[in-house]
Amino acid sequence: MGGSEEAARELMAADSVQLNWRRVASHTGPVPRSRHGHRAVVIRELMIIFGGGNEGIAEELHVYNTVTNQWFLPAVRGDIPPGCAAHGFVCDGTRVLVFGGMIEYGRYSNDVYELQASRWLWKKLKPQPSANGSLPCPRLGHSFSLLGNKCYLFGGLANESEDTNNNIPRYLNDFYELNLRPGSGVVGWNIPQTKGTPPSPRESHSAVVYSRKDHGKSKLYIFGGMSGCRLGDLWELDIETMIWSSPEAKGVFPLPRSLHTANVIGNRMYIFGGWVPQTAEDDNPPLQEKKWKCSNSFSSLDLDSMEWTTLMSDCSEDRKNWPRPRAGHCAVTIGKRLYIWSGRDGYKKAWNYQVCCKDLWYIDTEKPPPPSQVQLILATTNSFHVKWNELPIVEGYLLQLSPESPTSTGAGIPAPFSEICALSSNITSAACSAPLHLQSGSIRSHCFEENADSLVSPASCMFSPELRVDICHQSSNSGLVNQNSTPSCLNNNNAADHEVVAMKITLTEKQTLSSATIELNGKLQESPGPKSLATTLPHLHSRNQVSTNGQTAEKTALKDGQRHWYDVGIFQTNSAVVTHFFLLPGGNPSTSNKAVDPDLSDYTMLKKHDLCPGSAYRFRVAAVNGHGIGPFSKISQFKTCIPGFPGAPSSVKITKNADCVHISWESPSSPTGNILEYSAFLAIRTLLPEVQNQLAFVKIYSGLETSCTVTAAQLANAHVDYSSRPAVVFRISAKNEKGYGPAIQVRWLQDRA
C-alpha cells in the first residue's frame, strides 16, 4: 500500500490540488429532515432522494433542483413503496428502480419498485425468478448498479432469524442481474456464471460501473464494506467475460471503510467519507468510540492507470469550508460536479440517537470547458449587448475585452451589418446580468497577456463553423460582388440600386461587426432595441463609477507583441451589456496569467474605461466554477457604431398567408433626421461559383413603409439556412441622411420536413 515516503509525497501532491467544497446555503422549499441510509439519483438537473432514516424511516420522495436551488415534494401516485433504508436505487433515463432495503428494524425487503419520474408514478414490479427458481433474499446494504438494460446486484446483509426482533446477520456475496424491459418493466432475475475468486461477503460497500473509452469494455468495481470488520479491498468484474479479479493499484490506498460513497467522473472514481479505523494520529478519541470513527476523507482512483490519489487524508485536521465527517450519506454527480447530502457523523449513546448532518455540499472536480464564442446581439455607439452559450453547473462567466487601436472612419460610412449566431427564441429583451459576487478571494480581477503571434487568424478563430459571419459587401455595379473585393457596407449613394449582396464568410482583421439577429417561429420575438438597452445599462454594475477618458487603453492593448485583456466583469448569466471595462492602477495590465493582488479582487477599486464610438474590440469569455477559471473561448471582434446613423429596426413580425408572407417592424431611433428609407433582403439560393459557401441576398423591398410583402415566387428561391435550426433568413435596415445603419437579421424557423 506504499510506505511512509510515498504517503508523504501523496499528501504533498494533494496540497497542490485546488479543492473547494461549496456549501449550498441559499436553497428554498421544504428541506428533507436529516438522515442516513438514504439513496439519490440524478435526472438531468434534478437530484432525487428516497428513503433513509433517523428516528424512523423516511417515506417521502424529495427532489432538489440544482439549477434553481429549490427543494420540492412531487405529488407521487400509484403503488407507493414503504419507506426503506440502505436499499438499491438506480436511474435509467427518466425511470427509477428501487430494490430491497430495511423496512423496519430486523425486517428487510426484496421487492422491486419502479418510478416513472415524468409522471411521478410508482409501480410495483414482479420480476421472474432465475432459472433455478430462486429470487434474491431480502437484504440491506447491497450494491445495485445499472449498465445498459441490466442491473447488477451484489452482496448485502440478510437476517437469518424469522423473528424480526432477534436479528441474526448473514453477510452475502451472491451476484444477480436483473434484466429490464425498454422504457418500463422488468423481465426477471438471472444468476450469471462468473469466473475467478469473487469478493468476500460484505455489506455497506460501494460499486461503480466504468467503461473505458479506448476499447469500450465495461467493468464493475467493488470497494470496501463491512463484514464484521471494515474492508479496504478493491475488486473488478469484467462484464464481458464475467471474470472477477483483484487489480493491483498504485498510490496510497484509502483506509478500510463502510457506508462511504463512490462516484465516477470522467475516468476517476471518487471516494468520500464513511466509517474508518480510529488511527493513532487522531487526538482526543471519543471515549465511547475507540476503534472506528466517521470520516470526511476524499480520495480518487484513476480507473485507467489504477493509481490512487489522496485529495483529503483521514488524518488531516478539520479543514475550513470542508464537509464535516459523515457516513451513510448520499452522493450524485452532475457533469464534473459532485454533490453530497446529509449522513450521520456518529452515534451518541448518551443521547440515544444518531447525530445527522442536514447540509448539502458540492465540489467541482475540474475547471469548466470553454464557452462558445461571444456573440453580438446589438451594438450602439458606446455599448454592446453580447451573449454566449450557457454551460451547465457553473458559478459565473468572466468576460474580457481587448481594445483595438482607434480606427478613423470617414463621414457617411456606417458600421457594417453582419450575421451573428442565432439567439434562443426566448430572448425577448436586452436584460442585463448583474456581476456575480463570489466568496472573498475566490475570484479576483484579472488582466491577461497573450502573444500576438500565437493568435489564430481572425478568419479561423473569430467564429466557429456553426457561427457563420457574413459581412455585407457594396459594389457600384449591380449583381454579385467578387470574392476578392474589399469588405464595405451599404452607403448612401447606391444602396437603392443594389439588388444582390454577396456575403463573404472569410474575415480579415479589419472587418468589424454590428447588428442584431432574432429567430421567429410564428410568434413575435422582439429584438433588443436602444430603449430597452438604455434602461438596463445602469444595472450592469452597482458600483461607484469612475470614468476615464482618452485612448490609453486602446493604444496599449497590443504592446511588445503581447495582447492585453481587461475585465468587463463576472456575470451569473450568459449575456451582458458592455459599456466599459476595468483598468488596473496606472492603466497597466498584469504581465502574467496569475491572479493579481487580493486587494484588487473587488471591481470597486478599479477605474472604468468607457467604450468609444466607431472602435473595434476583441472579446473572449471563460466559465468559472469552484475549481477555478476555465479556458477562454475563441476570440470574437465587434465594432461600436458611429454616431448619427439610425439603429436597427425592432419588433419584427412575420405573418404567413396562403400565397405570401407579410413582414412588419418598428422604426428605430434616428439621431440625425428622419428615416428616409427601409430596405429588406431575402437570402436566396445561388449556383454561381464565385459565391459558393456564401450567403447571397436579393432586395425584396425598398420604401418608407414599415412593412412589406414577400410573394410566393420570391420565397420559391429562398435559401434555407441549416447552420442551427432550419430557417429562411431576412435582413432589414433603415437609412437616414447619414446612410444605412445596422441591419436586424431575422431567421424565420421552418419545419425540418
Side-chain angles (χ1 to χ4, degrees):
M1 292 203 178
S4 59
E5 293 184 1
E6 186 178 2
R9 289 195 301 270
E10 189 74 21
L11 290 176
M12 290 177 63
D15 289 338
S16 64
V17 179
Q18 298 297 319
L19 293 173
N20 295 293
W21 282 94
R22 303 290 177 91
R23 181 172 180 174
V24 180
S26 60
H27 48 68
T28 59
V31 180
R33 60 187 172 97
S34 58
R35 65 193 65 189
H36 61 96
H38 52 289
R39 300 289 187 263
V41 295
V42 164
I43 299 179
R44 291 189 287 272
E45 73 275 11
L46 302 180
M47 179 170 68
I48 301 174
I49 294 174
F50 179 67
N54 182 27
E55 298 181 313
I57 294 178
E59 298 180 348
E60 304 88 359
L61 187 78
H62 291 266
V63 181
Y64 172 69
N65 188 314
T66 60
V67 174
T68 62
N69 291 338
Q70 182 179 21
W71 289 96
F72 65 93
L73 281 164
V76 296
R77 54 196 176 92
D79 305 326
I80 300 175
C84 57
H87 48 287
F89 202 50
V90 298
C91 179
D92 176 28
T94 58
R95 67 168 166 176
V96 179
L97 294 170
V98 180
F99 170 75
M102 181 176 70
I103 299 175
E104 59 185 38
Y105 179 78
R107 183 184 168 203
Y108 308 153
S109 168
N110 64 346
D111 292 331
V112 180
Y113 286 86
E114 177 187 84
L115 172 69
Q116 290 290 340
S118 60
R119 296 174 289 165
W120 302 117
L121 177 65
W122 282 106
K123 182 180 180 181
K124 186 175 182 179
L125 305 179
K126 296 181 180 180
Q128 296 295 319
S130 61
N132 63 4
S134 67
L135 293 170
C137 66
R139 65 189 69 200
L140 61 75
H142 48 280
S143 59
F144 197 53
S145 309
L146 175 72
L147 177 64
N149 64 342
K150 294 181 180 180
C151 289
Y152 295 96
L153 168 67
F154 175 79
L157 182 70
N159 184 4
E160 291 285 82
S161 174
E162 296 181 359
D163 182 6
T164 58
N165 294 321
N166 182 25
N167 194 10
I168 302 177
R170 178 168 65 95
Y171 295 98
L172 306 170
N173 70 339
D174 51 354
F175 184 65
Y176 285 81
E177 60 184 18
L178 178 63
N179 294 294
L180 310 180
R181 297 187 188 277
S184 178
V186 294
V187 179
W189 292 102
N190 180 44
I191 303 178
Q193 297 298 317
T194 61
K195 303 174 184 177
T197 303
S200 60
R202 65 192 65 203
E203 57 100 4
S204 298
H205 54 281
S206 63
V208 300
V209 173
Y210 172 65
S211 301
R212 290 190 58 157
K213 293 183 179 179
D214 52 0
H215 51 61
K217 285 188 177 181
S218 299
K219 295 183 179 181
L220 176 72
Y221 291 93
I222 305 287
F223 175 72
M226 176 71 173
S227 184
C229 64
R230 269 76 186 181
L231 304 171
D233 49 353
L234 177 68
W235 293 86
E236 175 186 282
L237 174 67
D238 189 313
I239 301 296
E240 183 179 342
T241 62
M242 284 292 164
I243 297 177
W244 284 105
S245 63
S246 181
E248 294 184 4
K250 299 172 289 185
V252 179
F253 275 63
L255 292 176
R257 66 192 61 218
S258 63
L259 293 172
H260 55 284
T261 54
N263 301 84
V264 173
I265 300 178
N267 66 336
R268 289 188 171 271
M269 176 177 71
Y270 289 88
I271 303 290
F272 181 83
W275 281 105
V276 300
Q278 188 84 44
T279 61
E281 290 84 352
D282 292 320
D283 297 328
N284 303 318
L287 295 177
Q288 68 272 23
E289 284 288 350
K290 295 183 179 179
K291 190 176 181 181
W292 303 98
K293 66 170 186 176
C294 279
S295 170
N296 62 351
S297 63
F298 194 34
S299 299
S300 71
L301 174 65
D302 187 316
L303 296 172
D304 292 333
S305 65
M306 299 307 294
E307 182 171 4
W308 286 101
T309 300
T310 301
L311 304 174
M312 177 71 166
S313 69
D314 291 286
C315 303
S316 300
E317 297 179 358
D318 288 343
R319 183 171 171 179
K320 188 179 180 182
N321 297 326
W322 196 273
R324 63 197 237 220
R326 66 194 66 208
H329 52 284
C330 69
V332 297
T333 62
I334 299 180
K336 304 297 184 181
R337 178 174 290 182
L338 175 68
Y339 285 87
I340 65 168
W341 182 73
S342 200
R344 63 180 181 180
D345 69 354
Y347 185 78
K348 303 295 185 181
K349 293 183 178 179
W351 299 344
N352 198 31
Y353 72 96
Q354 303 286 346
V355 178
C356 289
C357 314
K358 199 177 182 179
D359 46 358
L360 174 64
W361 294 77
Y362 69 84
I363 187 170
D364 291 306
T365 59
E366 296 180 10
K367 292 181 179 180
S372 65
Q373 288 172 290
V374 177
Q375 305 158 19
L376 181 65
I377 298 176
L378 187 67
T380 67
T381 56
N382 58 1
S383 69
F384 296 110
H385 185 191
V386 296
K387 74 177 291 288
W388 49 91
N389 289 351
E390 186 176 15
L391 293 177
I393 315 300
V394 297
E395 297 178 358
Y397 302 91
L398 172 62
L399 180 64
Q400 293 185 334
L401 63 75
S402 178
E404 295 292 304
S405 297
T407 56
S408 59
T409 54
I413 304 297
F417 59 79
S418 54
E419 178 188 356
I420 310 301
C421 181
L423 303 178
S424 172
S425 59
N426 60 1
I427 295 180
T428 57
S429 66
C432 167
S433 54
L436 176 64
H437 300 284
L438 299 178
Q439 298 178 4
S440 177
S442 60
I443 297 297
R444 300 175 180 175
S445 175
H446 298 270
C447 208
F448 298 96
E449 284 188 346
E450 186 176 89
N451 192 312
D453 294 335
S454 65
L455 282 173
V456 184
S457 66
S460 59
C461 79
M462 281 191 186
F463 301 93
S464 57
E466 65 273 11
L467 177 56
R468 180 171 298 170
V469 179
D470 304 314
I471 304 300
C472 171
H473 293 259
Q474 175 58 37
S475 171
S476 58
N477 300 320
S478 62
L480 293 168
V481 179
N482 187 285
Q483 291 187 34
N484 298 323
S485 62
T486 303
S488 61
C489 297
L490 292 177
N491 59 37
N492 194 17
N493 298 328
N494 52 11
D497 299 328
H498 192 77
E499 295 298 327
V500 181
V501 183
M503 295 301 152
K504 191 176 181 65
I505 296 175
T506 304
L507 300 178
T508 66
E509 195 163 284
K510 294 182 180 180
Q511 288 172 342
T512 55
L513 316 173
S514 63
S515 73
T517 179
I518 60 174
E519 289 187 354
L520 294 179
N521 192 11
K523 297 180 181 179
L524 170 63
Q525 299 292 330
E526 296 185 359
S527 169
K531 292 184 179 180
S532 60
L533 194 66
T535 59
T536 56
L537 283 176
H539 305 290
L540 180 59
H541 290 286
S542 56
R543 306 175 183 272
N544 297 326
Q545 298 189 4
V546 181
S547 298
T548 63
N549 296 318
Q551 306 297 332
T552 303
E554 282 87 343
K555 291 180 180 179
T556 60
L558 191 62
K559 184 178 181 181
D560 299 328
Q562 302 291 322
R563 176 168 295 280
H564 298 313
W565 292 91
Y566 300 86
D567 280 9
V568 175
I570 298 175
F571 300 89
Q572 289 178 303
T573 59
N574 62 324
S575 66
V577 175
V578 182
T579 60
H580 55 261
F581 53 93
F582 292 95
L583 299 175
L584 294 179
N588 296 320
S590 171
T591 57
S592 72
N593 284 347
K594 296 180 181 179
V596 297
D597 191 290
D599 293 337
L600 299 177
S601 60
D602 191 343
Y603 290 126
T604 58
M605 302 183 64
L606 302 179
K607 288 185 177 182
K608 290 182 182 180
H609 192 289
D610 295 333
L611 302 188
C612 299
S615 298
Y617 299 87
R618 296 190 179 198
F619 282 88
R620 67 181 187 180
V621 64
V624 181
N625 65 11
H627 202 81
I629 301 174
F632 280 92
S633 66
K634 294 181 180 179
I635 297 171
S636 302
Q637 181 172 307
F638 311 120
K639 185 178 180 181
T640 51
C641 297
I642 301 173
F645 291 89
S650 61
S651 300
V652 179
K653 295 181 181 179
I654 298 181
T655 305
K656 184 177 181 181
N657 296 324
D659 55 350
C660 65
V661 169
H662 182 75
I663 306 176
S664 63
W665 56 88
E666 291 186 4
S667 299
S669 60
S670 177
T672 308
N674 297 324
I675 299 295
L676 302 178
E677 184 181 64
Y678 296 99
S679 289
F681 296 86
L682 169 68
I684 60 169
R685 298 189 301 269
T686 178
L687 298 177
L688 296 178
E690 61 266 28
V691 290
Q692 290 303 300
N693 300 320
Q694 302 176 19
L695 283 179
F697 283 77
V698 62
K699 183 181 289 186
I700 56 175
Y701 172 75
S702 179
L704 281 172
E705 299 294 329
T706 57
S707 64
C708 69
T709 299
V710 187
T711 65
Q714 291 172 319
L715 287 174
N717 294 320
H719 165 74
V720 178
D721 177 34
Y722 288 92
S723 59
S724 56
R725 290 178 288 182
V728 173
V729 181
F730 297 97
R731 283 183 178 168
I732 308 167
S733 59
K735 173 185 173 184
N736 63 10
E737 62 185 44
K738 284 276 189 177
Y740 272 94
I744 187 170
Q745 177 162 291
V746 182
R747 302 184 77 253
W748 183 34
L749 298 180
Q750 306 293 306
D751 294 333
R752 290 191 177 272

